[in-house]
Coordinates of all heavy atoms in Angstrom, one line a residue:
I1445 N -80.5 -20.0 48.9 CA -79.3 -20.1 48.1 C -78.9 -18.6 47.7 O -79.7 -17.8 47.4 CB -79.6 -20.9 46.8 CG1 -80.1 -22.3 47.2 CG2 -78.4 -20.9 45.9 CD1 -80.6 -23.1 46.0
C1446 N -77.6 -18.4 47.8 CA -77.1 -17.1 47.6 C -75.9 -17.0 46.8 O -75.4 -18.1 46.3 CB -76.9 -16.4 49.0 SG -75.6 -17.3 49.9
A1447 N -75.3 -15.9 46.6 CA -74.1 -15.7 45.8 C -73.0 -16.6 46.5 O -73.0 -16.7 47.7 CB -73.7 -14.3 45.8
G1448 N -72.1 -17.1 45.7 CA -71.1 -18.0 46.2 C -71.6 -19.4 46.5 O -71.0 -20.1 47.2
L1449 N -72.7 -19.7 45.8 CA -73.4 -21.0 46.0 C -72.4 -22.2 46.0 O -72.4 -22.9 46.9 CB -74.4 -21.2 44.8 CG -75.2 -22.5 44.8 CD1 -76.1 -22.6 45.9 CD2 -75.9 -22.6 43.5
A1450 N -71.7 -22.4 44.9 CA -70.8 -23.6 44.8 C -69.7 -23.6 45.9 O -69.4 -24.7 46.4 CB -70.2 -23.6 43.4
E1451 N -69.2 -22.5 46.2 CA -68.1 -22.5 47.2 C -68.6 -22.8 48.6 O -67.8 -23.3 49.4 CB -67.4 -21.1 47.2 CG -66.7 -20.8 46.0 CD -67.6 -20.2 44.9 OE1 -68.8 -20.1 45.0 OE2 -67.0 -19.8 43.8
S1452 N -69.9 -22.6 48.9 CA -70.4 -22.8 50.3 C -71.2 -24.1 50.5 O -71.5 -24.4 51.6 CB -71.3 -21.6 50.7 OG -72.4 -21.6 49.9
I1453 N -71.4 -24.8 49.4 CA -72.3 -26.0 49.5 C -71.5 -27.3 49.7 O -70.5 -27.5 49.0 CB -73.2 -26.2 48.2 CG1 -74.3 -25.1 48.3 CG2 -73.8 -27.5 48.1 CD1 -75.2 -25.2 47.1
K1454 N -71.9 -28.1 50.6 CA -71.4 -29.4 50.8 C -72.2 -30.4 50.0 O -71.7 -31.3 49.3 CB -71.3 -29.8 52.3 CG -70.6 -31.1 52.5 CD -70.4 -31.3 54.0 CE -69.7 -32.6 54.3 NZ -69.5 -32.8 55.7
H1455 N -73.5 -30.3 50.1 CA -74.5 -31.2 49.4 C -75.7 -30.3 48.9 O -76.1 -29.4 49.6 CB -75.0 -32.2 50.4 CG -74.0 -33.2 50.9 ND1 -73.5 -34.2 50.1 CD2 -73.4 -33.3 52.1 CE1 -72.6 -34.8 50.8 NE2 -72.5 -34.3 52.0
A1456 N -76.2 -30.7 47.8 CA -77.4 -30.1 47.2 C -78.5 -31.1 47.2 O -78.2 -32.3 46.8 CB -77.2 -29.5 45.9
L1457 N -79.7 -30.8 47.7 CA -80.8 -31.7 47.7 C -81.6 -31.4 46.4 O -82.1 -30.2 46.2 CB -81.7 -31.5 48.9 CG -80.9 -31.6 50.2 CD1 -81.8 -31.2 51.4 CD2 -80.4 -33.0 50.4
I1458 N -81.8 -32.4 45.6 CA -82.4 -32.2 44.3 C -83.7 -33.0 44.2 O -83.7 -34.2 44.6 CB -81.5 -32.8 43.1 CG1 -80.1 -32.2 43.2 CG2 -82.1 -32.6 41.8 CD1 -80.0 -30.7 43.0
D1459 N -84.8 -32.4 43.8 CA -86.0 -33.1 43.5 C -86.0 -33.5 42.0 O -86.3 -32.6 41.2 CB -87.2 -32.2 43.8 CG -88.6 -32.9 43.6 OD1 -88.6 -34.0 43.0 OD2 -89.6 -32.4 44.1
S1460 N -85.7 -34.7 41.8 CA -85.5 -35.2 40.4 C -86.8 -35.3 39.6 O -86.9 -35.5 38.4 CB -84.7 -36.4 40.3 OG -85.4 -37.5 41.0
E1461 N -87.9 -35.3 40.4 CA -89.3 -35.4 39.7 C -89.9 -34.1 39.4 O -90.9 -34.0 38.7 CB -90.2 -36.3 40.6 CG -89.7 -37.7 40.8 CD -90.6 -38.6 41.6 OE1 -91.7 -38.1 42.0 OE2 -90.2 -39.7 41.9
D1462 N -89.4 -33.0 40.0 CA -89.9 -31.7 39.8 C -89.3 -31.1 38.5 O -88.2 -30.6 38.5 CB -89.7 -30.8 41.0 CG -90.4 -29.4 40.9 OD1 -90.9 -29.1 39.8 OD2 -90.5 -28.8 41.9
R1463 N -90.1 -31.1 37.4 CA -89.6 -30.6 36.2 C -90.4 -29.3 35.8 O -90.3 -28.8 34.7 CB -89.8 -31.6 35.0 CG -89.1 -32.9 35.3 CD -87.5 -32.7 35.4 NE -86.9 -33.9 35.9 CZ -86.2 -34.8 35.2 NH1 -86.1 -34.6 33.9 NH2 -85.7 -35.8 35.7
N1464 N -91.1 -28.7 36.8 CA -91.9 -27.5 36.7 C -90.9 -26.3 37.0 O -91.0 -25.8 38.1 CB -93.1 -27.5 37.5 CG -94.0 -26.3 37.3 OD1 -93.9 -25.7 36.3 ND2 -94.7 -25.9 38.3
I1465 N -90.0 -26.0 36.2 CA -89.0 -25.0 36.4 C -89.5 -23.6 36.0 O -90.1 -23.4 35.0 CB -87.7 -25.4 35.6 CG1 -87.3 -26.8 35.9 CG2 -86.6 -24.4 36.0 CD1 -87.0 -27.2 37.3
K1466 N -89.2 -22.7 36.9 CA -89.6 -21.3 36.7 C -88.4 -20.4 36.8 O -87.4 -20.8 37.4 CB -90.6 -20.8 37.8 CG -91.9 -21.6 37.8 CD -92.8 -21.1 38.8 CE -93.5 -22.1 39.6 NZ -92.9 -22.8 40.7
D1467 N -88.5 -19.2 36.2 CA -87.4 -18.2 36.3 C -87.0 -18.1 37.8 O -87.8 -17.9 38.6 CB -87.8 -16.9 35.7 CG -87.7 -16.8 34.2 OD1 -87.2 -17.8 33.6 OD2 -88.1 -15.8 33.6
G1468 N -85.7 -18.1 38.0 CA -85.2 -17.9 39.4 C -84.9 -19.1 40.1 O -84.3 -19.1 41.2
D1469 N -85.5 -20.3 39.6 CA -85.2 -21.6 40.3 C -83.7 -22.0 40.1 O -83.2 -21.6 39.0 CB -86.1 -22.7 39.7 CG -87.5 -22.6 40.2 OD1 -87.8 -21.9 41.2 OD2 -88.4 -23.2 39.6
Y1470 N -83.2 -22.7 41.0 CA -81.9 -23.3 40.8 C -82.1 -24.8 40.4 O -83.0 -25.5 40.9 CB -81.1 -23.3 42.1 CG -80.7 -21.9 42.5 CD1 -81.6 -21.0 43.2 CD2 -79.5 -21.4 42.1 CE1 -81.2 -19.7 43.5 CE2 -79.1 -20.1 42.4 CZ -80.0 -19.3 43.1 OH -79.6 -18.0 43.4
V1471 N -81.4 -25.1 39.3 CA -81.6 -26.5 38.7 C -80.3 -27.3 38.6 O -79.2 -26.7 38.6 CB -82.2 -26.3 37.3 CG1 -83.5 -25.7 37.4 CG2 -81.3 -25.6 36.4
L1472 N -80.4 -28.6 38.6 CA -79.3 -29.4 38.2 C -79.5 -29.7 36.7 O -80.5 -30.3 36.3 CB -79.4 -30.8 39.0 CG -78.4 -31.9 38.5 CD1 -77.0 -31.4 38.7 CD2 -78.7 -33.2 39.2
S1473 N -78.5 -29.2 36.0 CA -78.6 -29.3 34.5 C -77.4 -30.2 34.1 O -76.4 -30.2 34.7 CB -78.5 -28.0 33.8 OG -77.3 -27.3 34.0
I1474 N -77.7 -30.9 33.0 CA -76.6 -31.7 32.4 C -76.4 -31.1 31.0 O -77.3 -31.1 30.2 CB -77.0 -33.2 32.3 CG1 -77.5 -33.7 33.6 CG2 -75.9 -34.1 31.7 CD1 -76.5 -33.8 34.7
I1475 N -75.2 -30.7 30.8 CA -74.8 -30.1 29.5 C -73.6 -30.8 28.9 O -72.6 -30.8 29.5 CB -74.4 -28.6 29.6 CG1 -75.6 -27.8 30.3 CG2 -74.1 -28.0 28.3 CD1 -75.2 -26.5 30.8
G1476 N -73.8 -31.5 27.8 CA -72.7 -32.2 27.2 C -72.1 -33.3 28.1 O -71.0 -33.6 28.1
G1477 N -73.0 -33.9 29.0 CA -72.5 -34.9 29.9 C -72.0 -34.4 31.2 O -71.6 -35.2 32.1
S1478 N -71.9 -33.1 31.4 CA -71.4 -32.5 32.6 C -72.5 -31.9 33.5 O -73.3 -31.2 32.9 CB -70.4 -31.4 32.3 OG -69.2 -32.0 31.7
A1479 N -72.5 -32.2 34.8 CA -73.5 -31.6 35.7 C -73.2 -30.2 36.1 O -72.0 -29.9 36.3 CB -73.7 -32.6 36.9
N1480 N -74.2 -29.4 36.3 CA -74.1 -28.0 36.7 C -75.2 -27.7 37.7 O -76.3 -28.1 37.4 CB -74.2 -27.1 35.5 CG -73.1 -27.3 34.5 OD1 -72.1 -26.8 34.6 ND2 -73.4 -28.0 33.5
L1481 N -74.9 -26.9 38.7 CA -76.0 -26.2 39.5 C -76.0 -24.8 39.1 O -75.0 -24.1 39.3 CB -75.7 -26.4 41.0 CG -75.7 -27.7 41.6 CD1 -75.3 -27.7 43.0 CD2 -77.1 -28.4 41.4
K1482 N -77.1 -24.3 38.5 CA -77.2 -22.9 38.0 C -78.6 -22.4 38.2 O -79.6 -23.1 38.4 CB -77.0 -22.9 36.5 CG -75.6 -23.5 36.0 CD -74.5 -22.5 36.4 CE -73.2 -23.0 35.8 NZ -72.1 -22.3 36.3
K1483 N -78.7 -21.1 38.2 CA -79.9 -20.4 38.3 C -80.6 -20.3 36.9 O -79.9 -19.9 35.9 CB -79.7 -18.9 38.8 CG -81.0 -18.2 39.1 CD -80.7 -16.9 39.8 CE -81.9 -16.1 40.2 NZ -81.6 -14.9 40.9
Y1484 N -81.8 -20.7 36.8 CA -82.5 -20.8 35.5 C -83.2 -19.5 35.2 O -83.9 -18.9 36.0 CB -83.6 -21.9 35.6 CG -84.5 -22.1 34.4 CD1 -84.1 -23.0 33.4 CD2 -85.6 -21.4 34.3 CE1 -84.9 -23.2 32.3 CE2 -86.4 -21.6 33.2 CZ -86.1 -22.5 32.2 OH -86.9 -22.7 31.1
K1485 N -83.1 -19.1 33.9 CA -83.8 -17.9 33.4 C -84.2 -18.2 31.9 O -83.3 -18.7 31.1 CB -82.8 -16.7 33.4 CG -83.4 -15.5 32.8 CD -84.4 -14.8 33.8 CE -84.8 -13.4 33.2 NZ -86.0 -13.0 33.7
F1486 N -85.4 -18.0 31.6 CA -85.9 -18.2 30.2 C -86.0 -16.9 29.5 O -86.7 -16.0 30.0 CB -87.2 -19.0 30.1 CG -87.6 -19.3 28.7 CD1 -86.9 -20.3 28.0 CD2 -88.7 -18.7 28.1 CE1 -87.3 -20.6 26.7 CE2 -89.0 -19.0 26.9 CZ -88.4 -19.9 26.1
N1487 N -85.4 -16.7 28.4 CA -85.5 -15.5 27.6 C -86.6 -15.7 26.6 O -86.3 -16.3 25.5 CB -84.1 -15.2 26.9 CG -84.1 -13.9 26.2 OD1 -85.1 -13.5 25.5 ND2 -83.0 -13.2 26.2
K1488 N -87.7 -15.3 26.9 CA -88.9 -15.5 25.9 C -88.7 -14.8 24.6 O -89.1 -15.4 23.6 CB -90.2 -14.9 26.6 CG -90.7 -15.7 27.8 CD -91.9 -15.0 28.4 CE -92.2 -15.7 29.7 NZ -93.4 -15.1 30.3
K1489 N -88.1 -13.7 24.6 CA -87.9 -12.9 23.3 C -87.0 -13.7 22.3 O -87.3 -13.8 21.1 CB -87.2 -11.6 23.6 CG -87.2 -10.6 22.5 CD -86.6 -9.3 22.9 CE -86.6 -8.3 21.7 NZ -86.1 -7.0 22.1
K1490 N -86.0 -14.4 22.8 CA -85.1 -15.2 22.0 C -85.3 -16.6 22.0 O -84.8 -17.4 21.2 CB -83.6 -14.9 22.4 CG -83.2 -13.5 22.2 CD -81.7 -13.3 22.5 CE -81.2 -11.9 22.2 NZ -79.8 -11.8 22.5
G1491 N -86.2 -17.1 22.9 CA -86.5 -18.5 23.0 C -85.3 -19.3 23.5 O -85.1 -20.5 23.2
E1492 N -84.5 -18.7 24.4 CA -83.3 -19.3 24.9 C -83.4 -19.5 26.4 O -84.0 -18.7 27.1 CB -82.0 -18.4 24.6 CG -81.8 -18.1 23.3 CD -80.7 -17.0 23.1 OE1 -80.4 -16.3 24.1 OE2 -80.1 -16.9 22.0
I1493 N -82.7 -20.6 26.9 CA -82.5 -20.8 28.3 C -81.2 -20.2 28.7 O -80.2 -20.5 28.0 CB -82.6 -22.2 28.7 CG1 -84.0 -22.8 28.4 CG2 -82.2 -22.5 30.1 CD1 -84.1 -24.3 28.5
H1494 N -81.2 -19.4 29.7 CA -79.9 -18.9 30.3 C -79.7 -19.5 31.6 O -80.6 -19.5 32.5 CB -79.9 -17.4 30.4 CG -80.0 -16.6 29.1 ND1 -79.7 -15.3 28.9 CD2 -80.4 -17.1 27.8 CE1 -79.9 -15.0 27.7 NE2 -80.3 -16.0 27.0
L1495 N -78.5 -20.1 31.8 CA -78.1 -20.6 33.1 C -77.1 -19.7 33.7 O -76.0 -19.5 33.1 CB -77.6 -22.1 32.9 CG -78.6 -23.1 32.4 CD1 -78.0 -24.4 32.1 CD2 -79.8 -23.2 33.3
L1496 N -77.4 -19.2 34.9 CA -76.6 -18.1 35.5 C -75.8 -18.7 36.7 O -76.3 -19.4 37.5 CB -77.5 -17.0 35.9 CG -78.4 -16.4 34.9 CD1 -79.4 -15.5 35.5 CD2 -77.7 -15.8 33.7
S1497 N -74.5 -18.3 36.7 CA -73.7 -18.7 37.8 C -73.8 -17.6 38.9 O -73.9 -16.4 38.6 CB -72.2 -18.8 37.4 OG -71.4 -19.1 38.5
E1498 N -73.8 -18.0 40.2 CA -73.8 -17.0 41.2 C -72.5 -17.3 42.1 O -72.5 -17.1 43.3 CB -75.0 -17.1 42.1 CG -76.2 -16.6 41.3 CD -77.4 -16.2 42.1 OE1 -77.4 -16.5 43.3 OE2 -78.3 -15.5 41.6
S1499 N -71.4 -17.6 41.4 CA -70.2 -17.8 42.1 C -69.5 -16.5 42.4 O -69.9 -15.5 41.9 CB -69.2 -18.6 41.1 OG -68.0 -18.8 41.6
T1500 N -68.6 -16.6 43.3 CA -67.8 -15.4 43.6 C -66.8 -15.1 42.5 O -66.3 -14.0 42.4 CB -67.0 -15.6 44.9 OG1 -66.2 -16.8 44.8 CG2 -67.9 -15.7 46.1
I1501 N -66.6 -16.0 41.6 CA -65.8 -15.8 40.4 C -66.8 -15.5 39.3 O -67.9 -16.1 39.2 CB -65.1 -17.1 40.0 CG1 -64.1 -17.5 41.1 CG2 -64.3 -16.9 38.7 CD1 -63.5 -18.9 41.0
S1502 N -66.5 -14.5 38.5 CA -67.4 -14.1 37.4 C -67.4 -15.0 36.2 O -66.3 -15.2 35.6 CB -67.0 -12.7 36.9 OG -67.8 -12.2 35.9
F1503 N -68.5 -15.7 36.0 CA -68.7 -16.6 34.8 C -69.8 -16.0 33.9 O -70.8 -15.4 34.4 CB -69.1 -18.0 35.2 CG -68.0 -18.7 35.9 CD1 -68.1 -18.9 37.3 CD2 -67.0 -19.3 35.3 CE1 -67.1 -19.6 38.0 CE2 -66.0 -20.0 36.0 CZ -66.1 -20.2 37.3
K1504 N -69.6 -16.1 32.6 CA -70.6 -15.7 31.6 C -71.8 -16.7 31.7 O -71.6 -17.9 32.1 CB -70.1 -15.7 30.2 CG -69.1 -14.6 30.0 CD -68.6 -14.7 28.5 CE -67.6 -13.6 28.3 NZ -67.1 -13.5 26.9
P1505 N -73.0 -16.3 31.4 CA -74.2 -17.2 31.4 C -74.0 -18.2 30.4 O -73.3 -18.1 29.3 CB -75.3 -16.3 31.0 CG -74.9 -14.9 31.2 CD -73.4 -14.9 31.1
I1506 N -74.5 -19.4 30.7 CA -74.5 -20.5 29.7 C -75.8 -20.4 28.9 O -76.9 -20.3 29.5 CB -74.4 -21.9 30.3 CG1 -73.1 -22.0 31.1 CG2 -74.6 -23.0 29.3 CD1 -73.0 -23.3 32.0
I1507 N -75.8 -20.2 27.6 CA -77.0 -20.0 26.8 C -77.3 -21.4 26.1 O -76.4 -21.9 25.4 CB -76.8 -18.9 25.8 CG1 -76.5 -17.6 26.6 CG2 -78.0 -18.8 24.9 CD1 -76.2 -16.4 25.7
I1508 N -78.5 -21.9 26.3 CA -78.9 -23.1 25.7 C -79.9 -22.8 24.6 O -80.8 -22.1 24.7 CB -79.7 -24.0 26.8 CG1 -78.8 -24.2 28.1 CG2 -80.1 -25.3 26.2 CD1 -77.5 -24.9 27.9
L1509 N -79.5 -23.4 23.4 CA -80.3 -23.2 22.2 C -81.0 -24.5 21.9 O -80.6 -25.6 22.3 CB -79.4 -22.8 21.1 CG -78.6 -21.5 21.3 CD1 -77.6 -21.3 20.2 CD2 -79.5 -20.3 21.4
P1510 N -82.2 -24.4 21.1 CA -82.8 -25.7 20.7 C -81.8 -26.6 20.0 O -81.0 -26.1 19.2 CB -83.9 -25.2 19.7 CG -84.2 -23.7 20.2 CD -82.9 -23.2 20.7
G1511 N -81.8 -27.8 20.3 CA -81.0 -28.8 19.7 C -79.7 -29.1 20.5 O -78.9 -29.9 20.2
D1512 N -79.4 -28.2 21.5 CA -78.2 -28.4 22.3 C -78.3 -29.7 23.2 O -79.4 -30.1 23.5 CB -78.0 -27.2 23.3 CG -77.4 -26.0 22.6 OD1 -77.0 -26.1 21.4 OD2 -77.3 -25.0 23.2
D1513 N -77.2 -30.3 23.5 CA -77.2 -31.5 24.3 C -77.4 -31.0 25.8 O -76.4 -30.7 26.5 CB -75.8 -32.2 24.2 CG -75.7 -33.5 24.9 OD1 -76.7 -33.9 25.5 OD2 -74.6 -34.0 25.0
F1514 N -78.6 -31.0 26.2 CA -79.0 -30.4 27.5 C -80.2 -31.0 28.1 O -81.1 -31.5 27.4 CB -79.3 -28.9 27.2 CG -80.0 -28.2 28.3 CD1 -79.3 -27.8 29.5 CD2 -81.4 -28.0 28.3 CE1 -79.9 -27.2 30.5 CE2 -82.0 -27.3 29.3 CZ -81.3 -26.9 30.5
A1515 N -80.2 -31.2 29.4 CA -81.3 -31.7 30.2 C -81.4 -31.1 31.5 O -80.3 -30.8 32.1 CB -81.3 -33.2 30.3
I1516 N -82.5 -30.9 32.1 CA -82.7 -30.5 33.5 C -83.1 -31.8 34.2 O -84.0 -32.5 33.9 CB -83.8 -29.5 33.7 CG1 -83.3 -28.1 33.0 CG2 -84.1 -29.3 35.1 CD1 -84.3 -27.0 33.1
N1517 N -82.2 -32.2 35.2 CA -82.4 -33.4 36.0 C -83.2 -33.2 37.3 O -83.4 -34.1 38.0 CB -81.1 -34.1 36.2 CG -80.7 -34.9 35.1 OD1 -81.2 -34.8 34.0 ND2 -79.8 -35.9 35.3
G1518 N -83.5 -31.9 37.5 CA -84.3 -31.6 38.8 C -84.1 -30.2 39.3 O -83.2 -29.5 38.8
K1519 N -84.8 -29.9 40.3 CA -84.8 -28.6 40.9 C -84.1 -28.7 42.3 O -84.3 -29.7 43.0 CB -86.2 -28.1 41.1 CG -86.3 -26.7 41.7 CD -87.7 -26.2 42.0 CE -88.7 -26.3 40.9 NZ -90.0 -25.6 41.3
V1520 N -83.2 -27.7 42.6 CA -82.6 -27.7 43.9 C -83.6 -27.2 44.9 O -84.3 -26.2 44.8 CB -81.4 -26.7 43.9 CG1 -80.8 -26.6 45.3 CG2 -80.3 -27.1 42.9
V1521 N -83.9 -28.1 45.9 CA -84.9 -27.8 46.9 C -84.3 -27.5 48.3 O -85.0 -27.1 49.2 CB -85.9 -29.0 47.0 CG1 -86.7 -29.1 45.7 CG2 -85.3 -30.3 47.4
G1522 N -83.0 -27.7 48.4 CA -82.3 -27.4 49.7 C -80.8 -27.6 49.5 O -80.3 -28.2 48.6
V1523 N -80.1 -27.1 50.5 CA -78.6 -27.2 50.5 C -78.1 -27.4 51.9 O -78.8 -27.0 52.9 CB -77.9 -26.0 49.9 CG1 -78.2 -25.8 48.4 CG2 -78.2 -24.7 50.7
I1524 N -77.1 -28.2 52.0 CA -76.3 -28.3 53.2 C -75.0 -27.6 53.1 O -74.2 -28.0 52.2 CB -76.1 -29.8 53.6 CG1 -77.5 -30.5 53.7 CG2 -75.3 -30.0 54.9 CD1 -77.5 -32.0 53.8
K1525 N -74.8 -26.6 53.9 CA -73.6 -25.8 53.7 C -72.4 -26.3 54.5 O -72.6 -27.0 55.5 CB -73.9 -24.3 54.1 CG -74.9 -23.7 53.2 CD -74.9 -22.2 53.4 CE -75.9 -21.6 52.4 NZ -75.8 -20.2 52.3
R1526 N -71.3 -25.9 54.0 CA -70.0 -26.3 54.7 C -69.9 -25.7 56.1 O -70.4 -24.6 56.3 CB -68.8 -25.9 53.9 CG -68.7 -26.6 52.5 CD -67.5 -26.2 51.8 NE -67.5 -26.7 50.5 CZ -67.2 -28.0 50.2 NH1 -66.8 -28.8 51.1 NH2 -67.2 -28.4 48.9
G1527 N -69.3 -26.4 57.0 CA -69.1 -26.1 58.4 C -69.5 -24.8 58.8 O -69.5 -24.2 59.8

């Protein structure tokens, strides 16, 4: 998986049973009812989860705080790229 992830993917393969997420893993997250594919980073110092976009468009990280409407539905284990 590389920069421009969303623009180049046709399908993402998700392991919905793998909840052992580590820094640098790509995850399928649900935030406020919306699905996202993002790179996972845990900020130990602040106790926050940061979800990073690797799009060709610059997006700010999504910062998840305790109590936020958030879930990880699995780890991205593969992708099928467009043509």
Side-chain angles (χ1 to χ4, degrees):
I1445 301 175
C1446 60
L1449 174 70
E1451 292 85 357
S1452 65
I1453 288 182
K1454 184 173 183 177
H1455 297 284
L1457 306 173
I1458 308 296
D1459 183 344
S1460 61
E1461 294 181 7
D1462 189 347
R1463 304 299 168 99
N1464 183 27
I1465 308 302
K1466 299 181 223 77
D1467 278 356
D1469 285 344
Y1470 290 85
V1471 297
L1472 169 62
S1473 63
I1474 308 296
I1475 304 168
S1478 296
N1480 299 275
L1481 293 176
K1482 301 288 183 189
K1483 188 174 184 177
Y1484 176 93
K1485 177 80 174 154
F1486 184 71
N1487 183 322
K1488 292 178 186 177
K1489 188 174 184 179
K1490 294 184 176 185
E1492 301 171 341
I1493 295 171
H1494 293 197
L1495 298 174
L1496 310 171
S1497 177
E1498 291 201 346
S1499 173
T1500 54
I1501 301 169
S1502 181
F1503 291 103
K1504 292 182 180 180
I1506 297 171
I1507 299 174
I1508 306 298
L1509 302 172
D1512 284 352
D1513 183 10
F1514 166 77
I1516 292 179
N1517 276 18
K1519 186 188 301 188
V1520 177
V1521 295
V1523 295
I1524 301 171
K1525 293 193 175 193
R1526 298 185 185 278

